[in-house]
Protein backbone atom coordinates (compact mmCIF):
# COMPACT_ATOMS: atom_id res chain seq x y z
CA UNK A 1 0.00 0.00 0.00
CA UNK A 2 1.06 3.60 -0.42
CA UNK A 3 3.13 5.57 2.05
CA UNK A 4 2.54 9.29 2.19
CA UNK A 5 5.03 11.93 3.17
CA UNK A 6 3.74 13.44 6.40
CA UNK A 7 5.14 16.84 5.36
CA UNK A 8 3.14 17.00 2.12
CA UNK A 9 0.62 19.36 3.80
CA UNK A 10 -0.88 21.86 1.39
CA UNK A 11 0.23 19.86 -1.66
CA UNK A 12 -2.53 17.31 -1.05
CA UNK A 13 -5.06 20.14 -1.32
CA UNK A 14 -3.54 21.38 -4.59
CA UNK A 15 -3.66 17.86 -6.03
CA UNK A 16 -7.29 17.57 -4.91
CA UNK A 17 -8.16 20.85 -6.64
CA UNK A 18 -6.81 19.48 -9.92
CA UNK A 19 -8.91 16.34 -9.41
CA UNK A 20 -12.03 18.51 -9.03
CA UNK A 21 -11.40 20.27 -12.34
CA UNK A 22 -11.01 16.88 -14.03
CA UNK A 23 -14.37 15.73 -12.58
CA UNK A 24 -16.30 18.72 -13.97
CA UNK A 25 -14.75 18.56 -17.45
CA UNK A 26 -15.45 14.83 -17.70
CA UNK A 27 -18.71 14.48 -15.84
CA UNK A 28 -20.79 17.69 -16.02
CA UNK A 29 -22.77 16.80 -19.20
CA UNK A 30 -23.87 13.52 -17.56
CA UNK A 31 -24.76 15.44 -14.39
CA UNK A 32 -26.99 17.82 -16.35
CA UNK A 33 -28.91 14.87 -17.81
CA UNK A 34 -29.22 13.31 -14.33
CA UNK A 35 -30.59 16.52 -12.77
CA UNK A 36 -33.15 17.01 -15.58
CA UNK A 37 -34.37 13.43 -15.20
CA UNK A 38 -34.65 13.83 -11.43
CA UNK A 39 -36.55 17.10 -11.73
CA UNK A 40 -38.91 16.37 -14.63
CA UNK A 41 -39.58 12.64 -14.30
CA UNK A 42 -40.53 12.80 -10.61
CA UNK A 43 -43.00 15.69 -11.01
CA UNK A 44 -46.69 15.26 -11.72
CA UNK A 45 -46.61 17.75 -14.60
CA UNK A 46 -44.29 18.77 -17.42
CA UNK A 47 -42.30 16.83 -20.01
CA UNK A 48 -41.16 13.29 -19.26
CA UNK A 49 -37.99 11.82 -20.72
CA UNK A 50 -37.92 8.17 -21.83
CA UNK A 51 -34.36 7.69 -20.59
CA UNK A 52 -31.00 9.43 -20.27
CA UNK A 53 -30.26 9.17 -23.99
CA UNK A 54 -33.59 10.78 -24.88
CA UNK A 55 -32.92 13.56 -22.39
CA UNK A 56 -29.42 14.21 -23.78
CA UNK A 57 -30.76 14.23 -27.35
CA UNK A 58 -33.45 16.77 -26.38
CA UNK A 59 -30.85 19.04 -24.77
CA UNK A 60 -28.57 18.88 -27.81
CA UNK A 61 -31.49 19.53 -30.17
CA UNK A 62 -32.95 22.49 -28.27
CA UNK A 63 -29.88 24.05 -26.65
CA UNK A 64 -26.78 22.61 -28.30
CA UNK A 65 -23.63 21.44 -26.49
CA UNK A 66 -23.71 24.47 -24.18
CA UNK A 67 -26.96 23.09 -22.75
CA UNK A 68 -25.06 20.08 -21.41
CA UNK A 69 -22.67 22.43 -19.59
CA UNK A 70 -25.44 24.61 -18.14
CA UNK A 71 -24.47 25.51 -14.56
CA UNK A 72 -20.85 24.46 -15.10
CA UNK A 73 -19.44 27.77 -13.81
CA UNK A 74 -20.71 27.26 -10.27
CA UNK A 75 -19.87 23.58 -10.55
CA UNK A 76 -16.23 24.37 -11.42
CA UNK A 77 -15.92 26.65 -8.40
CA UNK A 78 -17.71 24.30 -6.03
CA UNK A 79 -16.05 21.11 -7.24
CA UNK A 80 -12.55 22.62 -7.24
CA UNK A 81 -12.83 23.71 -3.61
CA UNK A 82 -14.74 20.56 -2.65
CA UNK A 83 -12.17 18.18 -4.11
CA UNK A 84 -9.28 20.19 -2.73
CA UNK A 85 -10.73 19.94 0.76
CA UNK A 86 -12.01 16.37 0.63
CA UNK A 87 -8.78 14.88 -0.73
CA UNK A 88 -6.63 17.02 1.57
CA UNK A 89 -8.71 16.40 4.71
CA UNK A 90 -9.00 12.69 3.93
CA UNK A 91 -5.25 12.25 3.43
CA UNK A 92 -4.25 14.25 6.50
CA UNK A 93 -6.92 12.79 8.82
CA UNK A 94 -6.14 9.22 7.74
CA UNK A 95 -2.46 9.83 8.42
CA UNK A 96 -3.35 11.14 11.89
CA UNK A 97 -5.73 8.29 12.78
CA UNK A 98 -3.24 5.66 11.63
CA UNK A 99 -0.50 7.24 13.69
CA UNK A 100 1.72 7.38 10.62
CA UNK A 101 1.96 6.25 6.98
CA UNK A 102 0.05 3.21 5.69
CA UNK A 103 1.59 -0.03 6.87
CA UNK A 104 0.04 -2.54 4.49
CA UNK A 105 -3.62 -3.49 4.17
CA UNK A 106 -6.25 -0.72 4.22
CA UNK A 107 -7.45 0.18 7.70
CA UNK A 108 -11.23 0.81 7.67
CA UNK A 109 -11.12 2.29 11.19
CA UNK A 110 -9.06 5.14 9.70
CA UNK A 111 -10.48 5.26 6.15
CA UNK A 112 -14.22 5.49 6.99
CA UNK A 113 -14.11 8.30 9.62
CA UNK A 114 -11.53 10.27 7.60
CA UNK A 115 -13.66 10.11 4.46
CA UNK A 116 -16.92 10.84 6.30
CA UNK A 117 -15.33 13.80 8.11
CA UNK A 118 -14.04 15.22 4.83
CA UNK A 119 -17.49 14.76 3.27
CA UNK A 120 -19.22 16.54 6.15
CA UNK A 121 -16.87 19.53 5.94
CA UNK A 122 -17.17 20.00 2.18
CA UNK A 123 -20.97 19.72 2.24
CA UNK A 124 -21.14 23.30 3.57
CA UNK A 125 -19.31 24.54 0.45
CA UNK A 126 -20.95 22.14 -1.95
CA UNK A 127 -24.56 22.87 -0.95
CA UNK A 128 -24.74 26.50 -2.21
CA UNK A 129 -22.83 25.76 -5.43
CA UNK A 130 -25.00 22.72 -6.18
CA UNK A 131 -28.19 24.66 -5.47
CA UNK A 132 -27.17 27.24 -8.09
CA UNK A 133 -26.01 24.51 -10.48
CA UNK A 134 -29.25 22.53 -10.18
CA UNK A 135 -31.46 25.61 -10.61
CA UNK A 136 -29.54 26.58 -13.74
CA UNK A 137 -29.65 23.04 -15.12
CA UNK A 138 -33.43 22.62 -14.83
CA UNK A 139 -34.08 25.88 -16.73
CA UNK A 140 -33.62 24.43 -20.24
CA UNK A 141 -36.09 24.57 -23.13
CA UNK A 142 -38.27 21.80 -21.64
CA UNK A 143 -38.51 23.47 -18.23
CA UNK A 144 -41.86 24.25 -16.60
CA UNK A 145 -40.16 27.24 -14.90
CA UNK A 146 -41.80 30.42 -16.31
CA UNK A 147 -39.53 32.72 -18.32
CA UNK A 148 -40.04 35.54 -15.82
CA UNK A 149 -38.57 33.38 -13.04
CA UNK A 150 -35.48 32.20 -14.94
CA UNK A 151 -31.93 33.28 -14.15
CA UNK A 152 -29.51 34.93 -16.56
CA UNK A 153 -26.48 33.33 -14.92
CA UNK A 154 -25.13 31.69 -11.76
CA UNK A 155 -24.47 34.99 -9.95
CA UNK A 156 -28.01 36.26 -10.63
CA UNK A 157 -29.36 32.92 -9.41
CA UNK A 158 -27.41 33.15 -6.15
CA UNK A 159 -28.36 36.80 -5.52
CA UNK A 160 -32.06 36.26 -6.28
CA UNK A 161 -32.12 33.21 -4.02
CA UNK A 162 -30.66 35.17 -1.11
CA UNK A 163 -33.00 38.11 -1.81
CA UNK A 164 -36.14 35.95 -1.94
CA UNK A 165 -35.31 33.28 0.63
CA UNK A 166 -32.70 34.89 2.85
CA UNK A 167 -29.20 33.60 3.54
CA UNK A 168 -30.64 30.24 4.64
CA UNK A 169 -32.16 29.87 1.18
CA UNK A 170 -28.77 29.36 -0.43
CA UNK A 171 -28.20 26.48 2.01
CA UNK A 172 -31.49 24.75 1.20
CA UNK A 173 -30.86 21.01 1.13
CA UNK A 174 -27.84 21.35 3.42
CA UNK A 175 -28.73 18.42 5.69
CA UNK A 176 -29.35 16.15 2.70
CA UNK A 177 -26.04 17.23 1.14
CA UNK A 178 -24.23 16.46 4.43
CA UNK A 179 -25.75 12.96 4.57
CA UNK A 180 -24.93 12.29 0.92
CA UNK A 181 -21.34 13.51 1.15
CA UNK A 182 -20.48 11.83 4.47
CA UNK A 183 -21.85 8.44 3.50
CA UNK A 184 -20.84 8.72 -0.15
CA UNK A 185 -17.21 9.62 0.54
CA UNK A 186 -16.91 6.80 3.08
CA UNK A 187 -18.08 4.34 0.40
CA UNK A 188 -15.92 5.93 -2.31
CA UNK A 189 -12.61 5.96 -0.43
CA UNK A 190 -13.18 2.51 1.10
CA UNK A 191 -13.75 1.03 -2.36
CA UNK A 192 -10.83 3.00 -3.81
CA UNK A 193 -8.39 1.87 -1.10
CA UNK A 194 -9.33 -1.82 -1.25
CA UNK A 195 -9.40 -2.06 -5.05
CA UNK A 196 -6.10 -0.18 -5.27
CA UNK A 197 -4.46 -2.42 -2.67
CA UNK A 198 -5.51 -5.69 -4.33
CA UNK A 199 -4.63 -4.51 -7.85
CA UNK A 200 -1.19 -3.40 -6.71
CA UNK A 201 -0.53 -6.89 -5.36
CA UNK A 202 -0.74 -8.11 -8.98
CA UNK A 203 1.97 -5.79 -10.28
CA UNK A 204 4.90 -7.37 -8.41
CA UNK A 205 7.71 -8.31 -10.75
CA UNK A 206 6.67 -5.82 -13.43
CA UNK A 207 9.38 -3.79 -15.17
CA UNK A 208 9.89 -0.15 -14.17
CA UNK A 209 8.71 0.98 -17.62
CA UNK A 210 5.40 -0.83 -17.33
CA UNK A 211 4.78 0.18 -13.69
CA UNK A 212 3.81 3.74 -14.68
CA UNK A 213 1.19 2.46 -17.14
CA UNK A 214 -0.03 -0.08 -14.58
CA UNK A 215 -0.39 2.70 -11.99
CA UNK A 216 -2.58 4.70 -14.38
CA UNK A 217 -4.66 1.58 -15.04
CA UNK A 218 -4.99 0.96 -11.31
CA UNK A 219 -6.07 4.58 -10.81
CA UNK A 220 -8.72 4.26 -13.53
CA UNK A 221 -10.14 1.03 -12.08
CA UNK A 222 -10.01 2.01 -8.40
CA UNK A 223 -11.41 5.50 -9.03
CA UNK A 224 -14.07 4.31 -11.48
CA UNK A 225 -15.32 1.47 -9.28
CA UNK A 226 -15.23 3.76 -6.24
CA UNK A 227 -17.44 6.24 -8.10
CA UNK A 228 -19.96 3.57 -9.12
CA UNK A 229 -20.14 2.19 -5.56
CA UNK A 230 -20.55 5.68 -4.11
CA UNK A 231 -23.35 6.83 -6.40
CA UNK A 232 -25.19 3.50 -6.25
CA UNK A 233 -25.33 3.98 -2.48
CA UNK A 234 -26.34 7.65 -2.30
CA UNK A 235 -28.47 8.27 -5.40
CA UNK A 236 -31.81 8.36 -3.50
CA UNK A 237 -30.39 11.12 -1.27
CA UNK A 238 -29.24 12.94 -4.40
CA UNK A 239 -32.74 12.70 -5.91
CA UNK A 240 -34.20 14.16 -2.71
CA UNK A 241 -31.61 16.96 -2.73
CA UNK A 242 -32.46 17.91 -6.33
CA UNK A 243 -36.18 18.14 -5.50
CA UNK A 244 -35.55 20.14 -2.30
CA UNK A 245 -33.21 22.61 -4.02
CA UNK A 246 -35.23 23.18 -7.20
CA UNK A 247 -38.77 23.33 -5.79
CA UNK A 248 -39.90 26.99 -5.87
CA UNK A 249 -42.18 26.75 -2.82
CA UNK A 250 -40.44 28.27 0.21
CA UNK A 251 -42.31 26.07 2.67
CA UNK A 252 -41.61 22.80 0.86
CA UNK A 253 -40.27 20.14 3.23
CA UNK A 254 -36.49 19.90 3.51
CA UNK A 255 -36.60 16.47 5.12
CA UNK A 256 -35.04 14.07 2.57
CA UNK A 257 -36.88 11.05 3.95
CA UNK A 258 -40.29 12.74 3.57
CA UNK A 259 -39.36 13.72 0.02
CA UNK A 260 -38.33 10.15 -0.81
CA UNK A 261 -41.53 8.79 0.76
CA UNK A 262 -43.54 11.10 -1.50
CA UNK A 263 -41.54 10.12 -4.59
CA UNK A 264 -41.89 6.42 -3.73
CA UNK A 265 -45.66 6.78 -3.38
CA UNK A 266 -45.87 8.46 -6.80
CA UNK A 267 -43.15 6.71 -8.83
CA UNK A 268 -42.04 3.67 -6.82
CA UNK A 269 -38.44 2.59 -6.25
CA UNK A 270 -37.59 3.65 -9.79
CA UNK A 271 -38.40 7.24 -8.87
CA UNK A 272 -35.98 7.11 -5.92
CA UNK A 273 -33.25 6.02 -8.33
CA UNK A 274 -34.20 8.45 -11.11
CA UNK A 275 -31.13 9.36 -13.17
CA UNK A 276 -29.33 6.08 -12.35
CA UNK A 277 -28.29 5.51 -15.98
CA UNK A 278 -26.43 8.79 -16.63
CA UNK A 279 -25.15 8.77 -13.02
CA UNK A 280 -23.46 5.37 -13.39
CA UNK A 281 -22.23 6.21 -16.91
CA UNK A 282 -20.74 9.44 -15.47
CA UNK A 283 -19.43 7.90 -12.25
CA UNK A 284 -16.76 5.69 -13.81
CA UNK A 285 -14.97 8.15 -16.16
CA UNK A 286 -15.39 11.20 -13.88
CA UNK A 287 -14.02 9.50 -10.76
CA UNK A 288 -11.36 7.61 -12.71
CA UNK A 289 -10.21 10.97 -14.11
CA UNK A 290 -10.24 12.43 -10.59
CA UNK A 291 -8.08 9.69 -9.09
CA UNK A 292 -5.60 9.58 -11.99
CA UNK A 293 -5.31 13.41 -11.91
CA UNK A 294 -4.95 13.39 -8.10
CA UNK A 295 -2.21 10.77 -8.14
CA UNK A 296 -0.33 12.31 -11.08
CA UNK A 297 -0.57 15.79 -9.53
CA UNK A 298 0.71 14.42 -6.22
CA UNK A 299 3.66 12.84 -8.01
CA UNK A 300 4.48 16.10 -9.85
CA UNK A 301 4.24 18.03 -6.57
CA UNK A 302 6.73 15.66 -4.98
CA UNK A 303 4.41 13.90 -2.55
CA UNK A 304 6.12 10.60 -1.80
CA UNK A 305 3.94 7.56 -2.13
CA UNK A 306 5.91 4.36 -1.96
CA UNK A 307 4.16 1.04 -2.46
CA UNK A 308 5.21 -2.07 -0.56
Amino acid sequence: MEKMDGNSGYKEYVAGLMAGIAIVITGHPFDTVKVKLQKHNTEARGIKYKNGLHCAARILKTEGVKGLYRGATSSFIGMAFESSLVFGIYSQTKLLLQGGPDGGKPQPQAIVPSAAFGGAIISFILCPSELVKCRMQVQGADSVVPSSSRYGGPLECALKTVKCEGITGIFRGGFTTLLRESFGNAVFFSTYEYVRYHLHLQRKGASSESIQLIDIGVGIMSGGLGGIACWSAVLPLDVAKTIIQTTPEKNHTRNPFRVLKSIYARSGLRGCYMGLGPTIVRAFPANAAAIVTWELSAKLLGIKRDLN
Side-chain angles (χ1 to χ4, degrees):
M1 192 58 186
E2 66 188 44
K3 288 186 178 182
M4 290 191 297
D5 181 2
N7 297 318
S8 57
Y10 76 94
K11 293 181 181 179
E12 287 286 359
Y13 294 88
V14 175
L17 187 145
M18 300 306 295
I21 293 173
I23 288 177
V24 178
I25 293 173
T26 311
H28 193 82
F30 298 101
D31 187 68
T32 298
V33 173
K34 178 205 72 175
V35 169
K36 279 184 173 288
L37 283 170
Q38 290 174 344
K39 175 65 175 175
H40 292 286
N41 284 26
T42 57
E43 289 189 330
R45 59 198 177 94
I47 189 170
K48 297 289 187 289
Y49 300 109
K50 296 174 184 176
N51 49 45
L53 195 60
H54 175 225
C55 180
R58 282 284 304 172
I59 295 170
L60 288 171
K61 182 179 179 180
T62 57
E63 304 173 60
V65 175
K66 70 176 184 179
L68 291 172
Y69 279 92
R70 186 180 290 276
T73 304
S74 62
S75 190
F76 264 115
I77 296 170
M79 190 61 74
F81 279 107
E82 177 225 342
S83 292
S84 176
L85 284 175
V86 78
F87 280 102
I89 290 172
Y90 170 72
S91 300
Q92 298 296 307
T93 307
K94 181 161 72 84
L95 195 69
L96 180 67
L97 292 178
Q98 289 177 165
D102 295 339
K105 290 188 70 174
Q107 300 179 35
Q109 69 273 22
I111 295 169
V112 172
S114 299
F117 176 58
I121 295 296
I122 58 103
S123 69
F124 293 98
I125 294 172
L126 198 58
C127 180
S129 72
E130 286 212 353
L131 180 137
V132 172
K133 172 186 72 71
C134 288
R135 291 189 174 186
M136 292 296 296
Q137 285 174 321
V138 300
Q139 281 191 162
D142 294 327
S143 177
V144 294
V145 178
S147 299
S148 59
S149 300
R150 297 191 181 189
Y151 308 107
L155 184 60
E156 182 185 339
C157 177
L159 292 175
K160 277 191 175 180
T161 299
V162 173
K163 183 180 179 180
C164 297
E165 303 178 40
I167 194 66
T168 57
I170 203 76
F171 285 96
R172 180 192 284 210
F175 175 62
T176 311
T177 306
L178 187 145
L179 288 179
R180 187 196 70 179
E181 290 304 306
S182 297
F183 183 50
N185 275 287
V187 172
F188 173 76
F189 280 107
S190 295
T191 305
Y192 159 71
E193 295 281 10
Y194 277 94
V195 172
R196 178 178 169 79
Y197 172 75
H198 287 290
L199 287 179
H200 268 124
L201 292 179
Q202 310 303 315
R203 78 168 201 173
K204 290 181 178 178
S207 64
S208 57
E209 291 81 10
S210 61
I211 281 179
Q212 287 186 342
L213 284 175
I214 292 173
D215 282 347
I216 292 175
V218 169
I220 290 171
M221 290 303 297
S222 58
L225 292 175
I228 289 175
C230 168
W231 282 102
S232 297
V234 303
L235 189 59
L237 285 171
D238 188 65
V239 173
K241 184 191 73 70
T242 296
I243 301 302
I244 291 168
Q245 292 187 324
T246 58
T247 299
E249 291 83 7
K250 293 181 182 180
N251 297 322
H252 186 274
T253 180
R254 300 188 185 187
N255 184 320
F257 304 108
R258 287 184 181 176
V259 173
L260 286 173
K261 184 179 179 181
S262 174
I263 292 172
Y264 183 78
R266 186 164 58 248
S267 308
L269 190 62
R270 183 179 180 181
C272 296
Y273 277 88
M274 190 59 65
L276 179 64
T279 298
I280 295 301
V281 171
R282 168 190 180 271
F284 194 97
N287 288 281
I291 289 297
V292 170
T293 303
W294 179 47
E295 293 182 344
L296 287 176
S297 298
K299 189 177 291 185
L300 290 172
L301 289 166
I303 300 174
K304 294 180 181 178
R305 288 178 168 168
D306 300 318
L307 294 163
N308 291 328

